[in-house]
Amino acid sequence: MNHDYLDPINSLHVPELADTTFAMDFLIRAKEGVRNLAFALTETASPDARAVLRNQLRQAIAMHQEITELMLRKKWFHPYELQEQYQLDMLSANNTVLIGQMNLFPDDTSRIGMFDRTPDDANHGGALT
């Protein structure tokens, strides 16, 4: 395992991992919203409030469906293929463990010599134009 986490080359594929994580979190939050709205609807006596909650519930269900369809299209979610979903979940768990083991605050954070020029060299030492 590479321990130089400040080197940009080690951030390859991180955006894709982040996208899948954000999408799953969004799906979970959308599901919680549907549940909470349904519960609120059953506890509300006012016809006007019930109408508002019913409309919000329909919108929340539609959003949940859109997120689910996106995740299915991107192959980030396999609700009908348990073995594939298990493999994705294990990959996510292993990545979480690896991130937890990273020394994200190393003693030496110097990057001198890593780049071929300083930002000022690109402007010939002058101000930004």
Side-chain angles (χ1 to χ4, degrees), residues 86-100:
Y86 176 78
Q87 289 173 356
L88 280 179
D89 291 345
M90 288 305 297
L91 177 64
S92 177
N94 289 334
N95 286 333
T96 301
V97 169
L98 289 175
I99 290 169

Side-chain angles (χ1 to χ4, degrees), residues 66-83:
E66 285 183 46
I67 298 165
T68 301
E69 289 171 358
L70 169 76
M71 292 180 71
L72 288 170
R73 239 185 355 265
K74 298 268 190 178
K75 301 196 184 314
W76 294 342
F77 186 46
H78 302 280
Y80 306 112
E81 303 292 334
L82 296 181
Q83 187 60 32

Side-chain angles (χ1 to χ4, degrees), residues 28-41 57 60-61:
I28 291 168
R29 302 295 172 234
K31 187 178 292 199
E32 288 174 358
V34 168
R35 185 191 64 227
N36 292 340
L37 282 164
F39 180 79
L41 186 60
L57 180 59
I61 291 170

Side-chain angles (χ1 to χ4, degrees), residues 8-21:
I9 194 68
N10 295 321
S11 66
L12 290 176
H13 308 295
V14 170
E16 294 86 1
L17 290 173
D19 287 347
T20 61
T21 302

